[in-house]
Amino acid sequence: MENEFLNIVDKRTNAAYDVPLNQGTIRAMDLRKIKTGPEDFGVMTYDPAFMNTASCKSAITFIDGDKGILRYRGYPIEQLAERCSFLEVAYLVLFGELPTEAELKGWVDNITHHTMLHETTKKFLEGFRFNAHPMGMFISTVAALSTVYPEARNVLDPETRKLQIYRLIGKVPTIAAYTYRHSLGFPYVYPDNELSYTENFMNMLWKMVEPKYRANPVLARALDILFILHADHEQNCSANVMRAVGSSQADPFVATAAAAAALSGPLHGGANEEVLKMLDEIGTKDRIPAYIEHVKAGHGKLMGFGHRIYKNYDPRARIIKWAADQVFEVTGRNPKLEIALELERIALEDEYFIKRKLYPNVDFYSGIMYQAMGFKPEIFTVLFAIPRTVGWLAQWQEMLEDQEQKIARPRQIYTGYEARDFIPMEKRGVKTTSVTS
Ligand code: CMC
């Protein structure tokens, strides 16, 4: 609603201010005019971890965390997961509309023709230790692409940007598959342009000596659905990093690497790997109540549970559960599923989790499904990073085209020393406390 205002009375001066309110939001800069005198800096907001701050306007993804709703460009995630291919959804997320048949064909062709890695990039990957974590290899290799495509720095040119978008979406599965083969000591498999995006990814992961890799269609579709579910999730930690790094006009390869680094943490995309470790640690169903008590006593978290935005069942977790059933028809049931289902049942009946509105999130069941498909837990977060590259790029484009955006530069409340004189070395004596920065 327009023409709504908040009336703020400053009790220090008794001055009253009308602060415009738009979509339930005030502009933090409007608070700056609330001051005690000309020398006063004005009122600022303090919001560690962005608990209540909109950092941008965005038309990409809508989430209603209380109702458990997720939509890309207005389309419910359930419909997209059921009816679309991943690249079709990627087009929607990036360009705002579902593609026509001709647009989709052109888009898929462009992505398919950018799947190869430069041989020097392949050599770069070969330099990692055999036991390097795939996510570390992925982050570094995506950043290294910046050295191969220096023109990518021209971020204000839409055509240059589009080419980097093709390259990044085309190459992330190749990098991901290479990190996997490297950790197993297998030779790298080159992309096969006749296959779909996910089939080709499976080809690069699992092809051995057969002349042509044929992906199981059920598993390929399940992976495609997983990719759709992970394509974007509005202003999460890694999207925020993508926007912040991109706001300095850094090229999209280094910005994507930074976003992937944010994703790797256990509280974000790294949670899927942690869920499997947790299920292993629990081991058997009878040990679940004790584990839950342990968590409630403040020893760690139930990985794959809770979300900053969802205070209801994560709609992606529901679809993953459905897709996992299709996968298990082919692969057989992952024994960890029994533990996960029981853990969910007990947690959802427990006062601690009910009170805090902690439900399973996207990472709770994805790992169990990935493991049944033959992936090792170390690669799970890389599987998240492939589709999320689409969301990062959409957020990055939107940020660059937004006239209101500038270099991201938060304020702080300084809590350190007042000005003090330099102490020469001979007068410093023995420190009794350490000085932190
Ligand atoms: N297990 C046990 N307690 C939890 C959990 C959990 N998984 N998550 C939150 N809590 C408690 C937390 O201790 C706090 O309790 P209290 O009010 O007594 O201090 C309360 O719930 C609120 O939690 P919070 O940490 O303030 O919530 P947040 O919005 O800052 O954190 C989160 C969100 C996702 C980081 C957190 O729920 C968490 O660490 N979950 C486990 C890790 C995980 O599954 N991450 C994947 C998130 S979804 C995919 C993605 O974003 O990549």
Side-chain angles (χ1 to χ4, degrees):
M1 284 247 278
E2 284 185 17
N3 299 324
E4 284 188 328
F5 291 88
L6 276 192
N7 186 259
I8 299 178
V9 177
D10 184 346
K11 292 282 185 190
R12 298 170 302 176
T13 59
N14 281 328
Y17 302 84
D18 275 338
V19 178
L21 190 65
N22 200 343
Q23 294 184 287
T25 310
I26 60 165
R27 282 182 180 262
M29 280 303 284
D30 283 345
L31 300 178
R32 285 275 280 278
K33 62 187 176 199
I34 305 178
K35 24 169 107 182
T36 51
E39 297 298 308
D40 186 358
F41 178 80
V43 170
M44 222 167 54
T45 56
Y46 174 59
D47 189 13
F50 298 115
M51 296 288 288
N52 195 35
T53 294
S55 63
C56 63
K57 291 179 179 168
S58 180
I60 303 168
T61 294
F62 173 81
I63 302 174
D64 183 328
D66 292 326
K67 296 196 182 123
I69 291 174
L70 169 63
R71 298 182 199 131
Y72 298 155
R73 303 282 187 184
Y75 294 105
I77 191 68
E78 294 80 4
Q79 291 182 19
L80 296 172
E82 192 186 334
R83 312 277 289 272
C84 292
S85 68
F86 168 66
L87 283 185
E88 199 177 349
V89 171
Y91 185 100
L92 169 74
V93 169
L94 275 153
F95 306 114
E97 295 296 340
L98 284 166
T100 62
E101 212 172 328
E103 284 166 340
L104 182 60
K105 186 178 176 315
W107 168 242
V108 171
D109 276 358
N110 277 319
I111 301 297
T112 307
H113 288 97
H114 285 94
T115 48
M116 289 280 284
L117 292 182
H118 195 281
E119 281 298 302
T120 54
T121 311
K122 199 185 108 192
K123 288 210 181 88
F124 181 86
L125 266 160
E126 281 164 8
F128 286 105
R129 285 192 71 193
F130 68 97
N131 61 352
H133 194 283
M135 203 52 190
M137 290 192 261
F138 180 85
I139 293 164
S140 318
T141 312
V142 170
L145 292 180
S146 158
T147 64
V148 184
Y149 306 110
E151 73 275 18
R153 277 178 224 155
N154 192 5
V155 296
L156 299 183
D157 176 47
E159 283 310 307
T160 309
R161 280 209 303 266
K162 200 184 266 179
L163 179 57
Q164 312 323 313
I165 288 174
Y166 296 150
R167 283 177 172 152
L168 266 161
I169 298 174
K171 289 179 203 316
V172 284
T174 317
I175 297 172
Y178 278 24
T179 67
Y180 190 62
R181 305 275 300 191
H182 182 78
S183 62
L184 294 171
F186 291 163
Y188 302 133
V189 175
Y190 285 87
D192 180 341
N193 286 357
E194 286 180 1
L195 301 177
S196 75
Y197 192 76
T198 30
E199 284 170 346
N200 175 46
F201 179 47
M202 292 164 80
N203 158 64
M204 293 187 291
L205 286 165
W206 291 316
K207 182 170 185 288
M208 295 307 275
V209 291
E210 66 273 39
K212 178 104 184 159
Y213 181 81
R214 308 244 172 249
N216 178 303
V218 176
L219 301 189
R221 178 64 189 143
L223 199 54
D224 218 48
I225 291 173
L226 265 276
F227 280 5
I228 291 170
L229 302 182
H230 285 88
D232 191 55
H233 213 233
E234 53 119 303
Q235 306 313 312
N236 52 79
C237 177
S238 56
N240 182 56
V241 168
M242 184 78 188
R243 280 176 174 264
V245 175
S247 76
S248 74
Q249 299 185 359
D251 77 58
F253 298 105
V254 291
T256 301
L263 187 77
S264 71
L267 298 189
H268 192 5
N272 51 17
E273 186 180 338
E274 298 301 317
V275 170
L276 264 276
K277 283 191 203 154
M278 177 185 77
L279 295 177
D280 278 340
E281 195 186 327
I282 295 173
T284 48
K285 280 207 277 187
D286 57 310
R287 294 178 47 158
I288 294 173
Y291 192 86
I292 288 187
E293 289 310 313
H294 190 66
V295 167
K296 282 163 57 182
H299 306 295
K301 285 184 169 169
L302 208 53
M303 298 314 285
F305 259 72
H307 201 276
R308 172 66 59 80
I309 307 288
Y310 291 121
K311 301 301 167 201
N312 199 326
Y313 214 97
D314 182 337
R316 301 168 300 173
R318 213 185 294 280
I319 301 171
I320 289 180
K321 250 174 134 174
W322 173 85
D325 282 339
Q326 318 296 307
V327 167
F328 297 147
E329 296 266 318
V330 177
T331 62
R333 229 165 135 97
N334 184 338
K336 295 207 178 73
L337 181 69
E338 302 305 330
I339 302 175
L341 287 168
E342 183 66 0
L343 188 61
E344 176 188 330
R345 190 190 65 75
I346 296 179
L348 292 183
E349 286 173 1
D350 191 295
E351 186 56 26
Y352 175 97
F353 293 89
I354 294 170
K355 203 169 120 207
R356 291 170 179 79
K357 300 190 174 164
L358 300 169
Y359 291 87
N361 59 48
V362 70
D363 291 318
F364 192 65
Y365 286 107
S366 61
I368 298 172
M369 175 168 156
Y370 288 145
Q371 195 176 49
M373 289 174 81
F375 292 104
K376 288 184 168 183
E378 298 79 54
I379 193 101
F380 290 174
T381 312
V382 175
L383 297 176
F384 191 152
I386 296 170
R388 185 52 62 84
T389 299
V390 167
W392 292 328
L393 291 168
Q395 300 285 343
W396 169 72
Q397 277 252 100
E398 189 175 59
M399 179 272 305
L400 286 172
E401 285 169 356
D402 184 342
Q403 298 300 315
E404 283 199 297
Q405 290 293 343
K406 290 165 175 274
I407 185 164
R409 205 318 182 173
R411 293 271 172 183
Q412 64 167 10
I413 300 172
Y414 177 66
T415 59
Y417 291 108
E418 292 296 325
R420 51 186 182 152
D421 284 331
F422 176 77
I423 307 169
M425 184 66 80
E426 63 277 12
K427 292 197 177 160
R428 284 181 208 168
V430 181
K431 283 198 194 89
T432 48
T433 53
S434 64
V435 177
T436 53
S437 56

